[in-house]
Amino acid sequence: MNLFHNNYNQLIQDNIDAMANLSAKNWNILKKMFEYMSSYNVSLFELEIIKKDMIGIALEADAEGVDINQKLGMNDKEFCDSLLSDALTKHYGEEILLIIKNIFFWLLIIFALGFWFDGFPSQYGISLSDCFFAIILCNGKEFITTILNKYILYSSSRKQKIIKVAFTIISFILLMLWLFVPGLDNIFIVQGNGYIIFVFLILLTIGSVLINNYYWNCCSEKYNWN
């Protein structure tokens, strides 16, 4: 198993590349179907496997000069329901792994830039402001998703909407605190030798990436995906 390669990210990129070869009509249909499917509590890796299969069907429909609904022979929502009914349940640990990796990544970037701009002082630290900003950057995707959802044909499940709204509210509150509450950059979560903290953040980021890669590569072994 190659810990420096992430099969989940590879599968996502393969699907993105394949989607680029679809006609505009079938691309739009699949986009709406995928948004609907994301409301299901389905394993993230299996969801990408299902997307890959559906993209294959859509490419066949393009070759035959028909849209994917005609190829499926049923309503697209019904097809998604039947396809996902037996799929593996998502473990929320999957999303936690991704969030932790992203937080460490953004925290490293924020710390490195601040450390550099301040002239590499011997004593430095990770401030509360840094942590807030890292979480805000991690949740940027949730802002975009929440805003764009009203333009999608299928609405997500009630639980999915609550989660997205909660993320948006939390991120907004943290953003307001970061922008308007003075002194947060002087409240340190960790303080000490700046170089040691920098190296420690690098190790945490690399560790979180390797753990993510290990987890997703283990998941990939359950499927014939490539």
Side-chain angles (χ1 to χ4, degrees), residues 2-226:
N2 184 2
L3 292 181
F4 294 97
H5 181 78
N6 188 312
N7 289 338
Y8 177 61
N9 288 340
Q10 180 64 56
L11 181 55
I12 290 175
Q13 189 58 52
D14 289 346
N15 285 342
I16 291 172
D17 294 341
M19 283 280 286
N21 297 319
L22 291 173
S23 64
K25 185 174 183 180
N26 279 330
W27 188 93
N28 285 322
I29 292 173
L30 275 190
K31 178 174 176 289
K32 293 170 184 176
M33 292 172 76
F34 291 167
E35 177 64 23
Y36 173 72
M37 289 163 59
S38 69
S39 68
Y40 271 78
N41 186 29
V42 176
S43 164
L44 296 178
F45 199 95
E46 183 157 359
L47 187 60
E48 290 301 321
I49 294 284
I50 293 170
K51 288 180 181 180
K52 180 180 180 180
D53 293 339
M54 292 176 68
I55 293 169
I57 296 172
L59 288 170
E60 291 178 6
D62 275 348
E64 296 170 10
V66 299
D67 65 51
I68 190 171
N69 286 328
Q70 292 173 281
K71 182 75 174 176
L72 296 176
M74 67 173 71
N75 177 278
D76 48 1
K77 183 177 180 296
E78 293 176 356
F79 180 77
C80 290
D81 290 338
S82 64
L83 206 58
L84 296 170
S85 59
D86 296 325
L88 290 176
T89 302
K90 175 171 64 179
H91 298 290
Y92 284 98
E94 295 178 347
E95 294 184 346
I96 292 172
L97 277 176
L98 294 172
I99 290 170
I100 290 174
K101 181 191 73 171
N102 291 334
I103 287 177
F104 282 146
F105 170 77
W106 284 115
L107 203 52
L108 174 62
I109 297 298
I110 293 166
F111 180 87
L113 290 174
F115 194 39
W116 178 40
F117 288 148
D118 289 341
F120 303 106
S122 58
Q123 290 297 305
Y124 208 65
I126 301 171
S127 69
L128 198 57
S129 177
D130 295 337
C131 295
F132 282 177
F133 194 32
I135 294 171
I136 290 165
L137 290 172
C138 287
N139 289 337
K141 180 177 179 292
E142 295 299 328
F143 277 111
I144 296 170
T145 303
T146 303
I147 292 170
L148 293 181
N149 264 351
K150 64 181 180 181
Y151 299 111
I152 304 300
L153 177 63
Y154 299 116
S155 60
S156 299
S157 68
R158 179 179 177 83
K159 184 176 182 180
Q160 192 85 353
K161 285 182 178 178
I162 291 172
I163 292 172
K164 289 177 180 177
V165 169
F167 268 117
T168 301
I169 292 172
I170 291 170
S171 297
F172 179 76
I173 292 171
L174 293 178
L175 178 61
M176 292 301 101
L177 289 171
W178 182 71
L179 289 174
F180 299 113
V181 176
L184 288 180
D185 53 344
N186 295 321
I187 302 174
F188 290 96
I189 305 298
V190 177
Q191 192 172 19
N193 186 292
Y195 292 99
I196 293 176
I197 294 173
F198 180 55
V199 171
F200 186 63
L201 279 175
I202 291 174
L203 294 176
L204 283 176
T205 303
I206 293 173
S208 65
V209 169
L210 294 179
I211 290 171
N212 266 269
N213 291 352
Y214 176 78
Y215 175 80
W216 293 113
N217 292 347
C218 286
C219 287
S220 70
E221 293 177 354
K222 302 175 185 175
Y223 307 96
N224 181 22
W225 64 278
N226 53 6

